[in-house]
Amino acid sequence: MRNTLALLTAAGIAAAAAQQKTETDVLVYSGVPCGIASAITAAREGAKVILIEPEKHVGGLSTSGINTAESEHMLKWTIGGFADEFYRELGKHYGKGDKPEYYFESSVAQQVYDTMLKNAGIEIRYGSPVDKVAKDGARITSVTLTDGSVISAKVFIDASYEGDLMARAGVDYRIGREAKSEFGEEAAGIRFDKTPRKAPTVDADGKLLPGISAWAKNLREGDAHPAPMNYNFRFTIARDPALQVPFPEPEKYDAKRYTILANWLKERTAAGEKTTFKDIIDPYKRRNGKFEMNNRQAAIFSLGHFGGQFEWADASYEKRKEIFDDHMEYSLGLIHFLRNDEAVPANIRDEAKSIGLHMDEFKDNGNIPYQLYVREARRMRGEYVVRQQDVQDERRKEDSIGISSHFIDSHHVQRVALSETEFVNEGRIWRLGYAYQIPYRAIIPKAAQASNLLVPGAASYTHVAFCTLRLESVWMITGHAAGIAASMAAKGNGDAHSVPVAKLQEKLRAQKQVVDFIEGQPEKCEKLNGPPEF
């Protein structure tokens, strides 16, 4: 009886495991905007598609607090194809007819993406990230998710911010910043801000204060560094008390985390310099009484958790949860500090107390965004590495699959001590943008490492060049191209390297993707174009 029961149990387990195995033409990993674009465009070409979303919501940061296409830093004529279709769907929602709308609400972006995916008939698997990748030589055969399910496909697309499928497939990648010497990039490597800031940087025992990563004397301008730019949450807030939900109090508030900010504020006050809330956090005005919080790029201290991002890219999922929670504690602690600490000038305390979370966003998550803003993590080393020269000077590529034009915009990476009484922020880059063609070679790995994989998210870029790619609007452009290429490969031998680029370009042009430069259109984005008044 016991043996029979064991056999039945084993048979049941085997049957259950068999039920978990699924086959498809194209597997798209991550339901960020890049992945949504890939999934829908591949499906429209007749491919059977499964979209894996490791979390509970699709849309990435477009549905987690970033409420702009970043068109204020771009040439709008470069936004075509699926990206343009998405923004035109937003335009319909906001009563603009067939015109695109580049400023929106996360909840509306969620509705639009959900509808587009439903209309395309995309099967979505939620809640289980990739665990393992199986290969036969250079060909990926299947992925196993953390829930045990196994999915095989002819072609795989890793659209994720972190490149988790790519990394598990054994594809080369980089994290952090290349040295100037590696590719001859003017803006590469360690970059110290030019202006030192006065404030004590060590405690009574001579140890560096929280928020300061290193001594500047141990770093050299232009050298490589292992960390990417900082991360933060993009809270949606309200100024109108009738629209507010209170910010949660941090669970483990520690005022020591903000000692460097307190010291800096005291130094400014003593010197007779006025500091405002906007010097630390400058909320962007959006629709329907909503404001978007972000790390202020040029700020001395803001929402960016300098140093907190160092381990994220290669961390386990469990470790990422710890880092996520630490960023949340830092963010909520900063709001608490700005509201209550005596080191904070009264005008800042008053304004910090006047804001709250907007009651209409992220209702199923305590009005807190679902995702951390991971600006940059792994970057593939594929068939071609896009460099600063490619996005500023050598901007034309025969294998173009789309055009970006965003500024080279890197937020700070860390804060370092110059002495016991001075510090400086490090890592900021801000360069005007140029229209440049994105090469197909930048979204495919080296053929010997993975033949049937496309990586339109964590693409083959240097840190400097990646600053022009890391926008949801641009990622939808690369995602669109990856979706079409994957569908073409799936109809053949599955090899992404065998896709005829000329035919890929023909399809993209027919779908209104901007693949070519347009005569008469500007190629330099010379100024910021701010959002309209709402």
Side-chain angles (χ1 to χ4, degrees), residues 237-312:
I237 63 168
R239 295 190 182 277
D240 183 348
L243 301 176
Q244 290 180 4
V245 173
F247 271 95
E249 288 296 322
E251 294 181 3
K252 302 174 184 177
Y253 179 70
D254 183 0
K256 293 178 182 177
R257 299 189 81 169
Y258 314 99
T259 301
I260 190 69
L261 174 57
N263 290 346
W264 178 68
L265 289 170
K266 290 174 183 176
E267 290 281 348
R268 287 179 60 83
T269 300
E273 298 176 342
K274 184 177 180 180
T275 308
T276 68
F277 186 74
K278 285 187 176 182
D279 291 325
I280 302 170
I281 301 172
D282 185 9
Y284 311 141
K285 189 176 183 181
R286 299 299 188 224
R287 294 178 174 275
N288 298 321
K290 297 173 185 178
F291 293 79
E292 179 182 337
M293 293 177 72
N294 189 17
N295 178 64
R296 193 168 186 269
Q297 290 100 318
I300 309 307
F301 208 104
S302 189
L303 276 173
H305 182 10
F306 293 11
Q309 80 281 16
F310 281 18
E311 298 181 63
W312 177 275

Side-chain angles (χ1 to χ4, degrees), residues 247-498:
F247 271 95
E249 288 296 322
E251 294 181 3
K252 302 174 184 177
Y253 179 70
D254 183 0
K256 293 178 182 177
R257 299 189 81 169
Y258 314 99
T259 301
I260 190 69
L261 174 57
N263 290 346
W264 178 68
L265 289 170
K266 290 174 183 176
E267 290 281 348
R268 287 179 60 83
T269 300
E273 298 176 342
K274 184 177 180 180
T275 308
T276 68
F277 186 74
K278 285 187 176 182
D279 291 325
I280 302 170
I281 301 172
D282 185 9
Y284 311 141
K285 189 176 183 181
R286 299 299 188 224
R287 294 178 174 275
N288 298 321
K290 297 173 185 178
F291 293 79
E292 179 182 337
M293 293 177 72
N294 189 17
N295 178 64
R296 193 168 186 269
Q297 290 100 318
I300 309 307
F301 208 104
S302 189
L303 276 173
H305 182 10
F306 293 11
Q309 80 281 16
F310 281 18
E311 298 181 63
W312 177 275
D314 260 345
S316 66
Y317 298 132
E318 293 77 16
K319 180 63 177 178
R320 283 188 190 163
K321 178 62 166 59
E322 293 178 13
I323 297 171
F324 180 100
D325 291 344
D326 180 57
H327 274 77
M328 185 61 72
E329 279 294 306
Y330 168 83
S331 303
L332 298 179
L334 177 61
I335 298 298
H336 179 92
F337 173 85
L338 293 175
R339 287 176 163 180
N340 298 290
D341 201 284
E342 290 299 318
V344 179
N347 63 302
I348 297 178
R349 292 202 305 270
D350 290 343
E351 187 162 356
K353 291 175 182 176
S354 73
I355 63 173
L357 297 170
H358 200 287
M359 62 189 298
D360 288 343
E361 292 294 336
F362 322 118
K363 290 182 178 181
D364 59 346
N365 200 46
N367 304 102
I368 295 289
Y370 308 114
Q371 294 198 25
L372 177 65
Y373 185 14
V374 176
R375 291 184 168 90
E376 175 187 30
R378 299 183 180 102
R379 301 185 308 278
M380 178 174 68
R381 280 292 183 261
E383 288 288 353
Y384 184 82
V385 180
V386 179
R387 314 150 299 151
Q388 182 178 356
Q389 296 92 323
D390 294 299
V391 306
Q392 288 189 315
D393 302 311
E394 303 165 24
R395 296 178 287 111
R396 283 160 168 75
K397 297 289 184 289
E398 290 187 1
D399 58 338
S400 170
I401 53 170
I403 294 180
S404 176
S405 63
H406 194 269
F407 284 27
I408 300 177
D409 176 16
S410 175
H411 286 237
H412 287 114
V413 175
Q414 60 183 336
R415 187 176 294 111
V416 298
L418 295 171
S419 69
E420 293 187 357
T421 59
E422 285 187 323
F423 70 91
V424 68
N425 290 349
E426 186 275 310
R428 178 86 176 114
I429 310 174
W430 186 246
R431 299 282 188 280
L432 294 179
Y434 293 83
Y436 74 90
Q437 292 176 312
I438 302 168
Y440 179 63
R441 290 164 293 161
I443 68 169
I444 52 175
K446 296 170 185 173
Q449 294 182 351
S451 61
N452 60 336
L453 173 66
L454 296 110
V455 186
S460 184
Y461 276 60
T462 66
H463 163 73
V464 177
F466 194 80
C467 296
T468 70
L469 179 78
R470 61 172 194 84
L471 302 311
E472 306 293 13
S473 52
V474 182
W475 270 324
M476 283 190 281
I477 292 170
T478 57
H480 182 167
I484 300 302
S487 69
M488 293 172 68
K491 293 174 183 176
N493 63 3
D495 187 351
H497 301 77
S498 299

Side-chain angles (χ1 to χ4, degrees), residues 156-170:
F156 297 79
I157 298 174
D158 186 347
S160 66
Y161 299 132
E162 293 87 0
D164 285 335
L165 192 157
M166 169 198 74
R168 285 164 172 77

Side-chain angles (χ1 to χ4, degrees), residues 146-206:
T146 54
D147 65 357
S149 58
V150 179
I151 305 173
S152 61
K154 297 176 182 177
V155 185
F156 297 79
I157 298 174
D158 186 347
S160 66
Y161 299 132
E162 293 87 0
D164 285 335
L165 192 157
M166 169 198 74
R168 285 164 172 77
V171 172
D172 289 341
Y173 61 88
R174 290 286 294 273
I175 301 169
R177 297 169 287 163
E178 296 83 359
K180 278 188 178 184
S181 60
E182 185 170 354
F183 291 97
E185 297 174 299
E186 166 271 330
I190 291 169
R191 300 174 52 82
F192 299 113
D193 281 5
K194 304 305 180 186
T195 305
R197 308 295 173 178
K198 290 189 176 296
T201 59
V202 297
D203 61 18
D205 297 322

